[in-house]
Every structure is written in structure tokens, then in C-alpha cells.
Amino acid sequence: MLVSAKDMLEKAREGKYAVGQFNINNLEWTKSVLLTAEELKSPVILGVSEGAGKYMTGFKTVAAMVRAMMEELNITVPVALHLDHGTYDGCYKCIKAGFSSIMFDGSHYPIEENIEKTKELVKVAHAMGLSLEAEVGSIGGEEDGVVGLGECADPQECKAIADLGIDFLAAGIGNIHGKYPENWPGLRFDVLEQVKAAVGDMPLVLHGGTGIPEDMIKKAVSLGVAKINVNTECQLSFAAATREYIEAGKDLKGKGFDPRKLLAPGADAIRATVKEKMELFGSVGKAKE
Ligand SMILES: [Zn+2]
């Protein structure tokens, strides 16, 4: 079922596990993530950035594809279709297109403006049955051309945003998008604890899940992180498997150039990555409960 992410994340927070958000880019990506979630009986969030939405020709195409694919594949686990790092206009487009969850990333606005816009979008999203994620403190690295500095969120600002009735909160705690540099000092658990103390039971979101060491992921989950975003890691495993296929000359043998064959190793590699993450996050089997 395509559902809001509110219930699945509240259950995750209570059960001390996290639900993975896996960003999708095309049909292969979507199919791989959905099939793995169903196989492992795990709830899942499909993340769509504005860039990926544009690439797939628009949010309406994405929503229609996901709904139809879930029906054709008999997907029974809870699935949320979520806008990742949405702009103000992007949020309205996704609400209209039939998404079940949105993230409004107002972290680059002054806090007053972030609060004002988040407040308005919470009202609209909730009236339509969607869940809403908000962000305080920009996440480092680069996503769709937006470069964040990786600042840590101010717990008081987190509280001000959380009090608007949002469903889950992304707060910067030293995490960054993309690959982590060699000299990365690690997650700021002291900041995470302060944020948690300020916002109470609100499920927290960890962006930039690629390359964070397993022990840090587990500690973050124990401290209230209920949603972890994975994007780069699926891209890397897809690219590596595709490279291996081409470099082995498999596209030159028989009908190895058939796109269904050419893209299969990459799609399988995404499934393996998603499985590994769901096991690490502890969400396997949770869709049965
Ligand atoms: Zn992010």
C-alpha cells in the first residue's frame, strides 16, 4: 500500500529500528527497491529528489509508475512515496501528483521563513493525508547542485520546527551527502542527544547514510533516528556491476546488448545493497507486525 510515512516511522522509533529511504531514478531502481522490501517484509520509503523527478519526466509519471508497479508486483508492505529535499513549489507539485509524503527543505531560509513555510505546508499536507519531513541545519555535501556546509542543527530551532506538528525531522549532526571524506570526524552524538531532548518523541531522520560506519548507524538509531536516507550507495553498486558486465565484454556476446540483460546486474546489485541496509537498520520483518 502507498501510505504516509507517519505510522511506519513512529513504530520504528518505538521499536528502536529505522526505515530506509532509498532514492529512485528509474524503473529498474523502483522495481529493485520494491521487490526487496516485499521479500524482506520491510516497510520502505521511496525517495524522489526534484532532479530525479524531472529526469523521470515529472512527479505525475513517478506517482503513476509506483502505484501501478505496486499493483502489478503485488506489493503488500507499507510503502511511502516521498519527495526528498523539496522546494516550496516542489512540495505542492508532489501533493497534487499523488505522493504520500513530502520533505520541505527550508534549511537555507532564515529560520523565521523556514518556520512560516513549514507551518503552511504541514497544514496542506495533513489535510491531504500526507506526512511531512522538515529540515533544520543544512546537511553537508552536494545534492542536485545544492551544496550544504554540514552544520549542526540548533536544538532550539529544531524544537520550534517540531512544534509546528511536522511528522519527522531531519537535523544536521555532521552527516553529509555523497561519499564521506577521509578526514570526516564522525556523527555528533552530543548534538543528536540535545536535539532529541528538545523535540521529545519526534522520529529523527539521518540523511547521507552512505558510508557511515555500522556502529554509528546503530548508535544513532538507539538515540531516536527512525529514518535513514540511502542514495549514493545504490548508485555506486549499480555503476560497479554495470562496469563489470561491460568490461567482461558480456554485452558483445549473444544478445548481451539487450537492455534487459545489460541493466540486470546493476538492478541485482541495488537489491543486494537495499537488503544489506534493511538488515543493518533492523527493519526486516517489521511489516508483518
Ligand atoms: Zn538529504
Side-chain angles (χ1 to χ4, degrees):
M1 306 163 279
L2 203 52
V3 295
S4 124
K6 184 181 172 67
D7 284 355
M8 66 168 88
L9 293 182
E10 281 182 352
K11 272 189 204 163
R13 192 208 66 232
E14 277 164 30
K16 298 269 181 210
Y17 62 91
V19 176
Q21 171 189 304
F22 300 94
N23 283 56
I24 57 171
N25 292 286
N26 60 17
L27 181 142
E28 279 73 20
W29 241 264
T30 312
K31 184 175 161 188
S32 292
V33 176
L34 287 176
L35 285 173
T36 309
E38 184 65 27
E39 181 198 336
L40 300 180
K41 293 286 172 270
S42 169
V44 73
I45 297 168
L46 302 178
V48 180
S49 68
E50 298 215 355
K54 206 170 166 188
Y55 175 79
M56 289 184 270
T57 75
F59 296 125
K60 274 199 215 166
T61 308
V62 179
M65 175 181 74
V66 169
R67 281 175 201 276
M69 201 185 282
M70 286 176 63
E71 192 185 324
E72 302 277 17
L73 294 173
N74 295 313
I75 303 296
T76 61
V77 298
V79 178
L81 178 58
H82 181 74
L83 171 64
D84 192 24
H85 290 283
T87 58
Y88 180 80
D89 291 342
C91 285
Y92 276 104
K93 280 185 190 162
C94 286
I95 291 170
K96 254 176 116 178
F99 276 47
S100 66
S101 187
I102 51 173
M103 173 189 190
F104 171 59
D105 181 353
S107 62
H108 50 287
Y109 291 115
I111 185 69
E112 297 75 24
E113 195 172 354
N114 189 359
I115 288 174
E116 193 187 310
K117 290 191 158 73
T118 301
K119 192 175 175 182
E120 175 192 318
L121 285 162
V122 165
K123 223 185 257 174
V124 179
H126 285 179
M128 302 289 287
L130 286 79
S131 47
L132 184 131
E133 172 180 348
E135 175 169 330
V136 178
S138 74
I139 314 291
E142 188 256 334
E143 186 149 300
D144 282 350
V146 180
V147 179
L149 298 171
E151 65 199 55
C152 282
D154 172 348
Q156 286 322 305
E157 291 186 359
C158 290
K159 183 171 165 36
I161 292 276
D163 285 349
L164 301 173
I166 65 164
D167 301 290
F168 32 105
L169 176 72
I173 53 165
N175 44 323
I176 58 174
H177 293 123
K179 283 183 174 175
Y180 283 79
E182 290 287 324
N183 60 352
W184 180 57
L187 292 177
R188 289 282 303 274
F189 291 112
D190 55 328
V191 176
L192 179 54
E193 277 172 354
Q194 288 164 15
V195 170
K196 174 88 190 139
V199 304
D201 276 344
M202 169 85 44
L204 299 172
V205 184
L206 187 62
H207 283 245
T210 297
I212 298 177
E214 291 195 6
D215 57 324
M216 284 193 200
I217 293 276
K218 286 186 176 154
K219 189 167 177 191
V221 171
S222 76
L223 292 173
V225 165
K227 172 175 179 279
I228 302 176
N229 293 7
V230 177
N231 186 8
T232 310
E233 203 144 342
C234 289
Q235 297 184 3
L236 291 171
S237 46
F238 179 87
T242 307
R243 171 185 292 275
E244 201 182 311
Y245 183 87
I246 300 271
E247 285 185 347
K250 291 185 183 168
D251 57 317
L252 303 173
K253 290 174 202 142
K255 286 238 171 144
F257 56 83
D258 178 336
R260 282 170 273 169
K261 290 186 178 156
L262 183 64
L263 297 175
D268 288 345
I270 294 170
R271 292 191 65 167
T273 299
V274 171
K275 184 174 184 205
E276 196 183 292
K277 294 297 166 192
M278 286 177 166
E279 283 167 351
L280 173 63
F281 301 163
S283 68
V284 174
K286 300 299 184 187
K288 281 189 287 195
E289 288 163 17

